[in-house]
Amino acid sequence: MPFPSLRNFLQARPLSRRELFRDGSFLAAMGFFRYGSLPTAPVPAPRSSPDSYSSVGVRPLINCDHVKTILGGSLVLPEVIQAMESASHHFVHLDELMEAVGARLAGLTGSEWCIVTSGCAAAITHATSACIAGGDPEKLRRLPDLTGLKNEVIIPRYSRNLYDQAVRMLGVKVVEVESVEGLEAALGPRTAMVYVLGINDLGIGWLGDRIPAPFSGFGVKVIAEAARRRGVPVFVDAAAEDLTVPNVYLQRGATLVGYSGGKVLRGPQCCGLLMGRKDLVRAAWIHGAPHHSFGRPMKVGKEEIMGMLAAVEMWFKRDHQGEWKRWESWLNSIAKRVTRVTGVNTEVIRGPELTLNCPTLVVRWDGTKLGITGEEVKKILEEGNPRVFLGEATGNRQEPMASSVTIRPLTMQAGEERAVADRLYDVLSSAPKILAPARRARSVDLAGLWDVHIEFICGSAEHTFSLEQQGDQLVGTHKGDILAGELRGTVEGNQIRVQSAQKYEGNWLHYQFLGTVDGKKMQGSVDLGQYGQARWTAKKRS
């Protein structure tokens, strides 16, 4: 057995929060790395160097939205960078490292056990794998072949979302339920796990909006009680939430909870945490790298493991009240500047507890009076200099009156509030009058059935439009290979603009078609959102 002294040490005595890395004596003595206890004094932030992005032709941005992966998540804490850099100078046995760090994280979080994963999505997948196959090598090597194994995961309808793909990728059948009675009926010998989205359990929507309590109290506590009677684990997805001790979901009876490390914890962007019942969490570890199973591609290295530990340590040292006051001061500064524009008003809203937990500034105006809508302001700021990415925006050319944009300071840096205030003031005070009426050409007749050919970045597909038209307004149905959804849009002269949405499992596929009409033919580009751009052509059926 490699490194017997370390294994004996771990078995001989429990590790306290202070002991594991006190002065670096434990692991440094083993010759692993120099990283010791986290400093109590603040570590100077590394000097910002946007040139690293500019050198490849990419412009950095000011993030006033939130901790979105596509915008880079959050900014990694200096202490985390220090821990990762220190860990990079030495080799270590990953099983032994995770055993030690798992114990340390468990002590910090009050959980039975923890592991570091490559993001919260990986925590979901590893948890699902562990609930299906446990630690049995014969079973775990078979995944995703579920023959003879538990092959169902129950998800309340209110918890269906984009990220439950991490559950479905195991090949399990998702069983949707809407009530305790439905849950009781669905629980059976084939049930591997119940998955619940944490923020919905708290009565919070995706964007921080308040929603009714999940189906009259059908939340984690009730679900966990029913699942426990049948011996079924309950996993809660708490990716973007604050870390609570004692953990709010474990207290409510959840078996496992997953967090993102690269969001509010400000750890490595590619990391996450899985915590909960010790046997399942440890089984989840062997389902991923460095072991050879279904989760092998979801690798987390020694640097990320130590960085994630540093992020959790710092979570309990950070001045959260001070952060909140600083955020409020930034928003007040922006509000003071933009309200100098006649007709603009603002409101600071306290963020929902636990998730996206920061104050939010909503800037509102009448788009018909200022001559610009919220969606247009958002786009102009994203394309400007400096680039500013705002949160949600309302108001478009069809409904311009109630226009607004949202600003969250969670991912902003000191000094950026001035740049945001200046850019927003400039755009609102000298609106480019995008709403100015233009002469409209007579719209062509598009009613009928159209065969649509789409050329993706790789591959193609045949779709259909079924269109009805009243003036320049279009409604109808967009059918794909296996999905169909409502279509709406406009035609002005020979210019067509339509959008549609098609639902698959917990995800919506969004299409925005732009193009020109030439008799019984159409062509143009289609925006697929996170899936990129494509080209399309269409022919009208006789």
Side-chain angles (χ1 to χ4, degrees):
M1 179 183 296
F3 306 112
S5 58
L6 174 57
R7 291 188 181 277
N8 293 341
F9 184 93
L10 292 171
Q11 294 170 358
R13 54 183 289 222
L15 298 174
S16 73
R17 292 176 57 174
R18 300 288 180 188
E19 290 172 329
L20 183 57
F21 294 106
R22 179 182 294 157
D23 299 327
S25 59
F26 173 50
L27 290 175
M30 304 302 295
F32 289 155
F33 36 72
R34 292 190 294 269
Y35 175 59
S37 58
L38 288 166
T40 55
V43 176
R47 181 176 296 175
S48 175
S49 179
D51 289 343
S52 59
Y53 294 117
S54 302
S55 67
V56 293
V58 176
R59 291 196 298 149
L61 55 90
I62 297 175
N63 183 3
C64 300
D65 193 350
H66 61 81
V67 285
K68 288 182 175 178
T69 298
I70 199 168
L71 297 181
S74 60
L75 293 179
V76 180
L77 289 168
E79 293 84 357
V80 173
I81 296 174
Q82 182 188 53
M84 295 176 69
E85 196 277 334
S86 180
S88 72
H89 293 290
H90 302 273
F91 294 102
V92 67
H93 192 286
L94 284 187
D95 281 339
E96 295 177 345
L97 178 62
M98 190 59 82
E99 188 78 7
V101 171
R104 180 66 180 274
L105 289 170
L108 289 168
T109 63
S111 169
E112 286 188 19
W113 206 251
C114 291
I115 61 170
V116 179
T117 63
S118 59
C120 188
I124 297 170
T125 299
H126 293 333
T128 308
S129 299
C131 290
I132 292 172
D136 186 336
E138 182 178 344
K139 293 179 180 177
L140 64 87
R141 287 287 286 162
R142 286 163 52 191
L143 299 178
D145 179 1
L146 301 179
T147 305
L149 303 177
K150 295 180 179 181
N151 61 0
E152 293 180 356
V153 171
I154 297 173
I155 304 181
R157 185 178 296 275
Y158 68 79
S159 282
R160 296 307 308 268
N161 67 88
L162 289 163
Y163 302 99
D164 61 39
Q165 173 98 31
V167 174
R168 295 189 295 108
M169 64 191 295
L170 269 298
V172 298
K173 175 186 177 183
V174 170
V175 180
E176 288 189 11
V177 295
E178 298 185 11
S179 63
V180 178
E181 293 76 20
L183 173 65
E184 294 280 7
L187 288 166
R190 313 303 296 172
T191 307
M193 186 180 81
V194 180
Y195 168 97
V196 181
L197 189 62
I199 58 175
N200 290 162
D201 182 67
L202 298 171
I204 301 169
W206 273 106
L207 301 175
D209 51 312
R210 295 290 176 178
I211 62 174
F215 294 95
S216 301
F218 181 44
V220 169
K221 186 174 182 180
V222 174
I223 290 171
E225 290 173 354
R228 187 184 304 111
R229 292 193 292 269
R230 306 294 288 273
V232 175
V234 174
F235 174 90
V236 174
D237 179 351
E241 299 183 26
D242 289 359
L243 195 58
T244 58
V245 179
N247 186 272
V248 62
Y249 298 115
L250 294 180
Q251 279 189 311
R252 297 182 183 187
T255 318
L256 301 165
V257 185
Y259 288 90
S260 171
K263 298 193 186 306
V264 296
L265 289 175
R266 295 186 63 185
Q269 173 58 198
C270 58
C271 281
L273 284 178
L274 177 63
M275 64 176 62
R277 206 176 84 192
K278 187 172 183 178
D279 61 332
L280 280 177
V281 176
R282 296 183 73 175
W285 169 245
I286 65 172
H287 278 264
H291 318 103
H292 294 83
S293 184
F294 183 83
R296 170 70 190 188
M298 305 172 198
K299 181 183 291 186
V300 59
K302 59 187 186 298
E303 296 83 5
E304 290 77 24
I305 293 172
M306 295 307 298
M308 193 67 251
L309 174 60
V312 175
E313 284 269 16
M314 287 305 301
W315 178 257
F316 299 105
K317 296 181 179 181
R318 284 162 56 183
D319 180 5
H320 296 288
Q321 289 185 345
E323 289 178 349
W324 190 281
K325 291 179 180 178
R326 185 162 59 250
W327 292 336
E328 286 185 323
S329 72
W330 293 348
L331 296 186
N332 291 335
S333 175
I334 296 171
K336 184 178 180 180
R337 178 86 162 118
V338 299
T339 50
R340 293 176 183 173
V341 179
T342 302
V344 174
N345 60 79
T346 63
E347 179 185 7
V348 175
I349 302 172
R350 185 178 181 87
E353 295 178 1
L354 297 186
T355 187
L356 297 182
N357 190 13
C358 69
T360 299
L361 177 68
V362 182
V363 182
R364 300 186 179 95
W365 68 93
D366 185 335
T368 59
K369 294 181 178 179
L370 262 62
I372 191 168
T373 70
E375 291 183 358
E376 289 158 349
V377 168
K378 180 177 172 68
K379 183 176 181 181
I380 290 172
L381 263 64
E382 287 178 3
E383 297 174 350
N385 186 27
R387 301 182 73 190
V388 178
F389 276 62
L390 303 175
E392 302 77 52
T394 64
N396 53 49
R397 297 192 68 182
Q398 284 69 47
E399 298 179 353
M401 180 178 292
S403 288
S404 70
V405 292
T406 301
I407 298 171
R408 295 188 184 89
L410 185 65
T411 45
M412 292 174 61
Q413 302 181 71
E416 291 181 339
E417 75 279 6
R418 293 189 293 273
V420 174
D422 289 344
R423 289 288 293 125
L424 196 52
Y425 174 84
D426 290 344
V427 171
L428 292 174
S429 62
S430 57
K433 305 302 179 187
I434 296 176
L435 289 178
R439 286 180 100 184
R440 285 188 173 184
R442 183 176 179 181
S443 298
V444 295
D445 182 14
L446 300 182
L449 192 61
W450 295 76
D451 293 314
V452 181
H453 176 79
I454 303 179
E455 285 285 342
F456 301 106
I457 190 172
C458 180
S460 61
E462 306 301 325
H463 291 203
T464 61
F465 289 166
S466 177
L467 297 178
E468 298 178 16
Q469 183 174 351
Q470 185 172 5
D472 60 1
Q473 299 297 308
L474 298 172
V475 296
T477 302
H478 171 201
K479 291 185 178 180
D481 185 23
I482 61 173
L483 304 176
E486 185 182 82
L487 178 150
R488 291 183 176 273
T490 60
V491 56
E492 297 182 12
N494 70 337
Q495 304 292 313
I496 182 173
R497 177 191 298 266
V498 294
Q499 60 186 20
S500 68
Q502 301 176 348
K503 188 176 183 181
Y504 183 76
E505 294 283 346
N507 187 14
W508 285 90
L509 305 180
H510 295 277
Y511 298 81
Q512 290 194 2
F513 294 88
L514 299 177
T516 58
V517 184
D518 183 7
K520 294 187 177 182
K521 295 181 179 180
M522 296 189 291
Q523 65 177 354
S525 62
V526 53
D527 186 343
L528 304 171
Q530 64 178 303
Y531 304 113
Q533 301 284 322
R535 301 293 302 177
W536 67 284
T537 58
K539 293 182 180 180
K540 192 174 185 179
R541 291 189 190 177
S542 300

